[in-house]
Amino acid sequence: MDRQPAGHSTSGDNAPLIDIIAGARPNFMKIAPIIRAIDARRAQGSRLRWRLVHTGQHYDARMSADFFEQLNIPEPDVNLEVGSGSQAEQTAAIMIRYEQLLMKQRSSLCLVVGDVTSTMACAITAQKLCIPVAHVEAGIRSGDWRMPEEINRMATDAVTNYFFTTSEVANDNLRRNGVPEERIFFVGNTMIDTLLAHMSRLRAPAFWETMALVPGEYFVMTLHRPANVDTEAGFRSVLLAVADAVRGMKVVFPVHPRTAKTLSALGGLPPNLLLVEPQPYLEFNYLVKHAKGVITDSGGVTEETTVMGVPCVTMRDSTERPETVDIGTNELIGTDPVRLRPTLDRLFANQWRRGSIPPLWDGRTGERIAAELERVLDAGNS
């Protein structure tokens, strides 16, 4: 289940130890810049140590291997191996196993990222043991309590000590909840750190040539939320609307495991929908970078398309990342597939706004987080 932390923990037992929590695929993109920045400070004499805790909430051996290799992330010091299960089952298993780890070797701070079950479960567990919590991507809100992620965000922020935010909107959300200004750190977006660090390494997937893909002449689609994929009739109507709205262009559709369950029951799909397996980081973002546009219900994808300047259509009624709509290239159209055609008609008519990049999405967020972590931990030990 665990091993002793490797070279990143050689500063001595009395040096501050930060648990960095990861449980699902998006988490790894968010923690990579933080690990890199802490290591850079350590090379300059910092005493900070970190321990990478993989909860095992989502685990695909092939995809995990790809992510660790592609993003240059060390193997986890600890894998809690909780596996699949219901929301409650996963939450309970993570809390029990993380508590056991902390009782065996206590950390100085628990750093969680994003809004998955692991984020909430580890934050609560640490706080109950009087271990302070830092939340990266704190303060974002969709306002939709039907989303498990929204509950995770709210519960995590309720027990957080240090709030690292991606936008002024998130800052305002926290202020309205009574969070003191001195605990809010507007640092930017670690997802964008990772994207910018690897932009020159993006590479075409193996099927690029066999599917005869051409830059600017295909779309990328990712769908997995219940409103879009959980009923056969509703999902079919979305797929047919997409196939019609793209005017015959190819649509590359990496199929989320959740989506595959419904998709397997459908037949006779339009031939321009190209179903592929979930793609590794470098290959997926290569597809996005060179696409005519993206159709999605993911929050993270809208951040990446904003920075790459790729038109993006989000099939959701709300978003926790409004800056991608207000500033970026994203347009929120709701879940009614009828709205796809007029939206994409504007894209084909070259009427899509160019968008710009939100403040501090500059590739240096990890550095700012590491600096603040060192400051607050030094203050706590003084």
Side-chain angles (χ1 to χ4, degrees):
M1 175 176 159
D2 63 85
R3 59 182 174 84
Q4 286 297 313
H8 46 260
S9 65
T10 56
S11 296
D13 291 340
N14 62 338
L17 175 64
I18 300 170
D19 274 345
I20 299 178
I21 309 297
R25 174 173 169 158
N27 292 166
F28 294 105
M29 307 175 210
K30 298 169 186 177
I31 65 169
I34 300 171
I35 290 174
R36 187 169 62 246
I38 293 175
D39 282 348
R41 295 187 77 84
R42 283 175 51 78
Q44 298 173 359
S46 171
R47 297 172 60 251
L48 289 183
R49 296 179 297 153
W50 54 267
R51 174 172 64 183
L52 179 53
V53 180
H54 187 344
T55 67
Q57 175 186 335
H58 292 167
Y59 185 76
D60 178 309
R62 181 183 64 83
M63 291 299 291
S64 290
D66 286 338
F67 261 65
F68 282 102
E69 177 184 353
Q70 290 191 353
L71 301 184
N72 194 29
I73 301 172
E75 287 295 317
D77 299 296
V78 180
N79 191 326
L80 302 182
E81 300 176 344
V82 301
S84 58
S86 70
Q87 296 272 342
E89 289 169 336
Q90 282 194 327
T91 301
I94 293 167
M95 293 180 77
I96 290 170
R97 296 187 186 190
Y98 186 45
E99 182 184 58
Q100 291 171 345
L101 172 65
L102 292 176
M103 297 299 288
K104 180 179 178 182
Q105 185 181 8
R106 185 181 178 87
S107 62
S108 307
L109 181 139
C110 173
L111 185 142
V112 295
V113 298
D115 51 24
V116 300
T117 301
S118 300
T119 306
M120 174 190 68
C122 288
I124 292 172
T125 302
Q127 196 60 262
K128 286 194 171 188
L129 292 175
C130 299
I131 295 171
V133 174
H135 184 198
V136 176
E137 287 192 355
I140 64 174
R141 299 287 186 271
S142 70
D144 185 354
W145 283 31
R146 296 169 299 178
M147 297 175 60
E149 297 91 342
E150 184 76 350
I151 306 304
N152 293 340
R153 295 174 197 126
M154 296 173 68
T156 301
D157 282 345
V159 298
T160 288
N161 300 89
Y162 307 110
F163 302 79
F164 294 104
T165 63
T166 61
S167 70
E168 284 292 356
V169 174
N171 297 341
D172 288 340
N173 289 336
L174 293 171
R175 292 178 186 120
R176 280 194 295 270
N177 286 341
V179 176
E181 199 71 36
E182 63 270 19
R183 292 188 179 273
I184 301 173
F185 305 96
F186 179 27
V187 291
N189 193 330
T190 59
M191 282 272 285
I192 304 309
D193 283 24
T194 295
L195 179 65
L196 295 178
H198 297 279
M199 190 76 78
S200 64
R201 300 178 58 236
L202 301 183
R203 61 197 187 199
F207 55 76
W208 178 267
E209 292 186 1
T210 57
M211 290 185 174
L213 297 176
V214 177
E217 296 186 12
Y218 66 90
F219 284 77
V220 172
M221 179 168 68
T222 71
L223 297 174
H224 71 281
R225 297 193 183 277
N228 290 319
V229 308
D230 269 14
T231 68
E232 292 182 19
F235 194 14
R236 178 181 290 279
S237 68
V238 170
L239 296 178
L240 293 177
V242 168
D244 171 68
V246 299
R247 302 187 181 185
M249 277 193 177
K250 295 172 182 176
V251 180
V252 181
F253 184 12
V255 180
H256 190 283
R258 174 186 180 84
T259 309
K261 296 177 182 179
T262 308
L263 197 60
S264 63
L266 302 179
L269 297 177
N272 61 328
L273 298 182
L274 309 179
L275 309 183
V276 299
E277 292 184 350
Q279 294 299 295
Y281 183 83
L282 299 178
E283 287 82 353
F284 177 75
N285 278 297
Y286 183 94
L287 288 168
V288 169
K289 181 180 180 181
H290 295 284
K292 174 79 171 178
V294 173
I295 301 166
T296 189
D297 57 15
S298 165
V301 171
T302 67
E303 296 175 319
E304 293 162 334
T305 53
T306 283
V307 169
M308 290 190 276
V310 177
C312 182
V313 178
T314 297
M315 296 190 66
R316 286 171 54 184
D317 295 320
S318 63
T319 178
E320 64 281 0
R321 293 168 171 88
E323 61 273 16
T324 66
V325 177
D326 300 336
I327 300 173
T329 57
N330 181 31
E331 183 160 331
L332 192 69
I333 68 166
T335 57
D336 186 349
V338 172
R339 299 189 63 182
L340 274 167
R341 182 64 189 242
T343 300
L344 291 187
D345 281 349
R346 288 190 289 105
L347 175 57
F348 283 106
N350 294 317
Q351 295 175 355
W352 208 270
R353 61 191 176 88
R354 293 179 61 88
S356 58
I357 298 175
L360 297 187
W361 291 22
D362 57 4
R364 302 189 63 183
T365 298
E367 298 171 26
R368 288 187 281 266
I369 290 173
E372 293 295 351
L373 288 173
E374 185 165 27
R375 186 183 66 80
V376 299
L377 286 172
D378 281 348
N381 291 330
S382 61

